[in-house]
Amino acid sequence: MNVTSYLKLLPPHLRKKTAAMVSLGVLRRLLDLLGLATLLPIIIVIVDPSSVEGESLMATLFDFVGIDNLAGFGVALGAFALLILPLKSILTIWLSNIQNKYLLSIYRYYSRRLYNYYHSKGPLFIRRTFSSQLAFHINGACYGFATNIIGTIINAASDLFMTLLLTWFVIWVAPSASLMLFAAMIPVLIIYFAGVKNKIKYLVKDAYD
């Protein structure tokens, strides 16, 4: 089954929320980039104090802050990071919680439907079927579908959007570097599609059949 087939299995009220969940995934990744961006100036100043001189980006930031000495500039960067990083972590946890509640709502929906289906087949069917098999279908299979399949699709869509965004940024900043990056990624993609993708599909199919 492809991605569209899996999404069509979702009820309409849950399928409509997939785009919003992808957007939340993109926001989480942007917050991770923001956290990295707050630490990079500190690392650059520690490794190369002379970076605040000349016409570099760090020199522009140094002039913008308006602090004359390097130590005060470093303290200002550290204070800004201490302000941003906890806020970033709180927002990331909050967005993750929303996504997890969405995935659990998918699990709850299918688990209840499957439970009602088995219950409607009567006591004789339940007696003839292993209780561990019924429990796995009602709990494990439904939970795996929600987290391992739908969750993976949402994360993959968010990663794809971020990859396209970063690719556009790299092409805009350094076209030659982007060409070298693409050339380095081609062998990895060939190895993935040739040897890994089909094996993963087989393992997932074998686990849930």
Side-chain angles (χ1 to χ4, degrees), residues 6-64:
Y6 285 123
L7 294 178
K8 286 182 179 180
L9 294 176
L10 297 176
H13 70 282
L14 292 175
R15 193 185 312 133
K16 293 178 181 178
K17 297 180 180 180
T18 53
M21 295 301 110
V22 172
S23 300
L24 293 182
V26 173
L27 286 177
R28 286 175 53 197
R29 286 152 180 80
L30 289 175
L31 287 173
D32 290 337
L33 290 178
L34 176 62
L36 179 62
T38 58
L39 295 176
L40 280 179
I42 301 175
I43 297 174
I44 293 174
V45 169
I46 294 174
V47 174
D48 184 16
S50 63
S51 60
V52 298
E53 302 174 356
E55 298 180 357
S56 63
L57 181 61
M58 287 299 300
T60 303
L61 181 62
F62 182 74
D63 294 335
F64 175 78

Side-chain angles (χ1 to χ4, degrees), residues 179-196:
L179 292 177
M180 290 187 292
L181 179 63
F182 295 149
M185 289 176 60
I186 290 176
V188 177
L189 293 175
I190 293 175
I191 294 173
Y192 171 75
F193 283 104
V196 179

